[in-house]
Amino acid sequence: MIFPDMLQIDPLVASCRKGTLTPTDIVKEVLARVEAYNRVDPAVWITLVPADRLLARAAELESLSASDLPFYGVPFAVKDNIDVVGLPTTAACPAFAYTARESAEVVRCLEAAGAIVIGKTNLDQFATGLVGMRSPYGQPHSVFGSEYVSGGSSSGSAVAVAAGLVSFALGTDTAGSGRVPAAFNNIVGLKPTRGVLSTHGLVPACESLDCISIFASSTADALQVEQVARAPDIRVPYSRAMDPRKLPYGTFRFGILHKEDRFFDGCPASAVLYERAIQQLEELGGTAVELDFAPLKETAELLYSGPFVVERLTALEDFYHEHRGDMDPTVGQIFDGANKYSATDVFKGIYHQNLLKQEVDRMWNAFDVMVLPTAPRIVTKQEVAAQPIAVNSMLGTYTNFVNLLDMAACAVPAGFTPDGLPFGVTLIGPSFTDDDLALLAGRFHAVSGNTSGMNNVAVTSSTCTASTEAAPGNVLLAVVGAHLKGFPLHWQLEKEHAVLRATTRTAPDYRLFALPDAVPPKPGLVREKGFVGPGLEVEVYELDAAGFGRFVSALPQPMAIGKITLADGCEVSGFLCSEAIARSGKDITASGGWRYATL
């Protein structure tokens, strides 16, 4: 089989289910790619899982049913401050290294879903930095030039995805470490809401702010990973359950920087690309609203220029006092700065943080999401070597405040400068808007024509592609209303052990109506030839034939099952409605889907 440049999740899993590909094939391909890329950049990995262990894992999966595992055979990488059982966790500091006795909870969830850990990736030591230059294991470089930084601290994870070595990678994000490397390598970086992914098994940087983040070639892949991995964990002090908040889809408001607040550190090409991203979002139905950047900037300064740096020392206090000389000089200098603050200073900082949060929370009344540059510009390794702290601070201009203000974020590619260097923007939303934020970011990524990875692979806004097929004897079913996850009739799908395969949209020639007097409330979907709308959000589930039959036989009038065309042209079974009955209800097509409708 000829593998694609980017190992996207759905095509890999679909090929395994069809029997045209096996996990063993995938492991062998990944090992060959890793070996080849090591000759280009030997600093991506700290530890690789031995080949015999990977092949044994592949053989184990081949004894199981592919239809039961959403990530069957999917290869992924893990930042080396996250535990993988039997492998060393170094946090990029040899003196700190230990062998993990169990995997981090997120890793365990992903492996239980059929994914395969390929190895542990390089990072800025103790996840302290945005440059990817603070590691004794080498300094990974951007896939677009060996003289440019990869971004940090999740440096190796971002490069592993951008180079097509794995389907996705876990990073961490305290101050931007899951977003800046995404921008510098032309991929997606999804930073979940704080606490919805367990941090059990993570070496903490700032435990109250840390997030495990996800790198992928598309927002669809990144969101699938988050949805599989997230769950509350009573072992983690800041863990919390996901409580999804809606964002509008068809029309929306997005906050942007005033002209005078647009800082690109002397790079006019970045300014042009940011302006272009704003125009493209307006073409998607967005309305730009200028925001006040001052409280965001003030919050950002608390992280390294204020008492919050004490939390970094708290996480590693004993090691710091015993092994200060074993630490990277710049990282050690940052830890040293914690010693000048008192407990009183810390509480004053917390009070200040919460006052700023109240001010920023009021900003959401003016817009639904923020759209900011991910970083002012990409920098060279030489620049970092000359001014390691100043350059690092500049790179965090638009990222450092996000976790302090309890926001979700999704970084996506936004084009290239005339000299071929990548630029990215980040969509930022209130906490718990992760799902809708990723969907909106995915629309921008696809419709704007921006690519992914070092080979500039095209992406679509849909997680369902023409190659997505059900396993033999199974059926794909698109649901559009009361059967969506979190809605009153979703239990009927759970009863039949349906598995979510995609969150996507219909083709644009569908309308959606709120059915009159329906209990529970539900919509009716109809197709209108020649109509051009936003497309309606659907979830695509896979059921076995018997379960599908039981599900269909229980449907009440006026609902029926027919063929629905999705945004990428593939057809699946789905809910349709009598047109006469549907049109007697309220037309909610402009909302973009039942989840976003105001009834």
Side-chain angles (χ1 to χ4, degrees), residues 26 31 57 73 98 151 196 203 213 216 227 241 249 264 277 303 371 388 407 417 420 429 465 594:
I26 295 170
L31 288 173
R57 167 66 171 159
Y98 61 89
V196 301
V203 177
S213 64
Q227 289 174 336
Y249 190 91
F264 297 104
L303 195 60
V371 179
M407 298 171 175
T417 64
T465 68
W594 186 242

Side-chain angles (χ1 to χ4, degrees), residues 77-107:
V78 178
K79 183 176 180 178
D80 197 19
N81 61 341
I82 302 170
D83 288 345
V84 175
V85 64
L87 296 182
T89 299
T90 71
C93 182
F96 177 79
Y98 61 89
T99 299
R101 295 182 178 180
E102 63 176 351
S103 290
E105 178 62 14
V106 170
V107 174

Side-chain angles (χ1 to χ4, degrees), residues 9-20:
I9 292 172
D10 281 346
L12 282 185
V13 174
S15 296
C16 287
R17 292 197 175 117
K18 288 189 294 184
T20 57

Side-chain angles (χ1 to χ4, degrees), residues 179-190:
R179 291 163 279 158
V180 171
F184 291 174
N185 292 282
N186 195 44
I187 57 172
V188 168
L190 179 59

Side-chain angles (χ1 to χ4, degrees), residues 43-49 76-100 102 104 107 117-128 134-138 140 153-158 160 169-172 177 201-205 212-213 215 316:
V44 176
W45 304 90
I46 292 179
T47 303
L48 286 164
V49 176
F76 73 108
V78 178
K79 183 176 180 178
D80 197 19
N81 61 341
I82 302 170
D83 288 345
V84 175
V85 64
L87 296 182
T89 299
T90 71
C93 182
F96 177 79
Y98 61 89
T99 299
E102 63 176 351
V107 174
V117 177
I118 300 302
K120 308 289 291 295
T121 51
N122 207 349
L123 67 152
D124 278 328
Q125 190 176 89
F126 296 119
T128 303
R134 301 170 178 175
S135 171
Y137 297 97
S153 61
S154 309
S155 52
S157 287
L170 299 181
T172 63
S177 296
L202 167 68
V203 177
I212 289 180
S213 64
F215 295 102
L316 295 163

Side-chain angles (χ1 to χ4, degrees), residues 149-391:
V149 302
S150 59
S153 61
S154 309
S155 52
S157 287
V159 174
V161 172
L165 310 183
V166 291
S167 298
F168 68 90
L170 299 181
T172 63
D173 192 315
T174 303
S177 296
R179 291 163 279 158
V180 171
F184 291 174
N185 292 282
N186 195 44
I187 57 172
V188 168
L190 179 59
K191 189 215 74 68
T193 294
R194 222 176 7 89
V196 301
L197 293 187
S198 170
T199 54
H200 179 73
L202 167 68
V203 177
C206 295
E207 191 162 2
S208 68
L209 302 176
D210 292 339
C211 295
I212 289 180
S213 64
I214 302 150
F215 295 102
S217 58
S218 69
T219 61
D221 279 9
L223 183 56
Q224 285 188 75
V225 174
E226 182 185 332
Q227 289 174 336
V228 166
R230 67 187 177 204
D233 189 338
I234 61 172
R235 298 167 295 182
V236 176
Y238 293 97
S239 176
R240 48 189 175 166
M242 185 63 172
D243 182 18
R245 295 172 63 179
K246 296 193 300 182
L247 292 173
Y249 190 91
T251 58
F252 58 93
R253 303 163 302 162
F254 63 103
I256 63 170
L257 296 167
H258 285 276
K259 296 284 187 181
E260 57 269 26
D261 289 329
R262 297 183 187 181
F263 169 69
F264 297 104
D265 199 42
C267 181
S270 292
V272 171
L273 290 170
Y274 180 59
E275 185 63 40
R276 190 183 77 170
I278 292 170
Q279 294 170 358
Q280 290 168 331
L281 283 159
E282 289 175 329
E283 292 168 4
L284 284 177
T287 300
V289 179
E290 291 186 329
L291 58 79
D292 180 5
F293 188 62
L296 305 178
K297 182 179 180 181
E298 188 174 350
T299 303
E301 291 169 352
L302 290 174
L303 195 60
Y304 288 109
S305 301
F308 279 83
V309 73
V310 173
E311 191 169 16
R312 289 192 180 268
L313 178 59
T314 301
L316 295 163
E317 186 174 16
D318 291 343
F319 180 84
Y320 167 81
H321 289 303
E322 295 174 13
H323 296 275
R324 171 63 180 84
D326 294 316
M327 297 176 71
D328 174 270
T330 303
V331 173
Q333 184 179 345
I334 292 168
F335 276 66
D336 293 342
N339 292 312
K340 66 182 180 182
Y341 294 104
S342 67
T344 302
D345 294 327
V346 172
F347 276 99
K348 287 180 179 177
I350 292 171
Y351 303 152
H352 191 190
Q353 171 202 11
N354 281 276
L355 285 171
L356 287 167
K357 185 178 185 304
Q358 291 184 48
E359 182 177 352
V360 173
D361 282 348
R362 291 191 291 271
M363 294 167 63
W364 295 120
N365 294 322
F367 44 78
D368 305 298
V369 299
M370 301 179 190
V371 179
L372 303 180
T374 303
R377 65 178 179 90
I378 194 170
V379 298
T380 65
K381 291 184 174 182
Q382 186 175 5
E383 288 177 282
V384 175
Q387 293 185 300
I389 292 179
V391 172

